[in-house]
Amino acid sequence: MHTNTNRDKLLAAGSQLIHVHGYARCGLRAVTAAAGLPASSFSSHFPSKEAFGLEILERHFAEHYRLMRGTLRNDALPAPQRLRRYFAALLEELDGEAARHGCLFGRLCAEGEGISELMRNRLADMLLQIQRSLAYCLSNARGAGLLAPHSEVDELAAFAVASLQGAMLLSRAHGEPTPLRQCQQLLLPLLGCAEPPQYTVLSG
């Protein structure tokens, strides 16, 4: 049975503080205090703040990759269903108070020089993996005839990632997920997920 170790407590507290305040403004004393641990406990588990931030990022991406495997990379589902489930999960992450803090990936991207080069490179790689997962799904949509045969799925996926990340930053600024919801509504038809036409049956 898994126990909530001091390391887990530090990571959970750090993740929450980075979401709210950003990485650069996340002090280690604040992390240990939020975790209910003495300040000296941090160095027992992490050699540096960078190593701590990287582990938080890796854990967050591991969760996101599990989501993508169940949606965008799930070959048991048709492409439109994969995309809709993935988009719904992104919206769910921004439910309620979480909308004020946004997506961890976008939060760190916005910090620029506030994070180390190693963290920036790893973050860029994670966003590229998200783009590739979207492209994988879009390739399936193209094969099913939902996108034009000449559609550049890599470019579409890159555009979708940029649009979604921007919309999540706007959602954070507004404190509610409407910008992300509107972005998704515009993206879905572009990505081969247009709603089927509704026909009215006329009597007589």
Side-chain angles (χ1 to χ4, degrees):
M1 182 177 180
H2 177 75
T3 57
N4 193 19
T5 65
N6 287 347
R7 183 185 182 86
D8 292 329
K9 291 176 183 177
L10 289 168
L11 288 166
S15 179
Q16 178 64 22
L17 288 172
I18 290 172
H19 263 100
V20 176
H21 302 296
Y23 175 79
R25 294 177 59 195
C26 178
L28 300 185
R29 287 186 178 275
V31 171
T32 53
L37 298 170
S40 59
S41 64
F42 184 88
S43 59
S44 300
H45 299 284
F46 305 98
S48 65
K49 182 181 177 181
E50 180 186 60
F52 179 63
L54 278 168
E55 184 153 349
I56 288 173
L57 190 54
E58 294 292 350
R59 285 192 170 201
H60 184 72
F61 182 71
E63 291 180 7
H64 198 85
Y65 194 78
R66 282 194 292 273
L67 167 64
M68 293 191 297
R69 285 185 62 185
T71 55
L72 300 176
R73 292 186 172 275
N74 186 351
D75 291 332
L77 299 175
Q81 193 172 350
R82 299 186 209 181
L83 281 165
R84 291 184 185 281
R85 288 189 179 186
Y86 179 69
F87 280 11
L90 295 184
L91 269 176
E92 188 175 348
E93 285 184 10
L94 292 190
D95 186 43
E97 187 65 22
R100 297 188 179 276
H101 311 317
C103 165
L104 181 63
F105 300 134
R107 188 77 167 89
L108 291 174
C109 284
E111 293 203 40
E113 296 300 319
I115 63 175
S116 69
E117 183 177 359
L118 180 60
M119 290 185 70
R120 284 197 301 274
N121 289 340
R122 185 67 185 108
L123 181 60
D125 180 63
M126 290 173 179
L127 291 171
L128 181 59
Q129 290 189 58
I130 294 173
Q131 178 183 322
R132 287 172 175 167
S133 292
L134 274 164
Y136 179 84
C137 181
L138 294 177
S139 179
N140 182 274
R142 184 177 60 189
L146 300 172
L147 291 171
H150 62 273
S151 297
E152 295 290 344
V153 294
D154 291 329
E155 292 183 9
L156 280 172
F159 176 74
V161 170
S163 300
L164 292 168
Q165 288 297 321
M168 284 188 273
L169 282 175
L170 282 174
S171 294
R172 178 172 174 266
H174 289 279
E176 51 90 22
T178 297
L180 178 58
R181 185 177 294 109
Q182 292 173 334
C183 174
Q184 291 181 352
Q185 289 171 348
L186 291 170
L187 278 176
L188 284 170
L190 180 66
L191 302 180
C193 295
E195 292 286 354
Q198 299 297 315
Y199 298 102
T200 301
V201 177
L202 301 178
S203 58

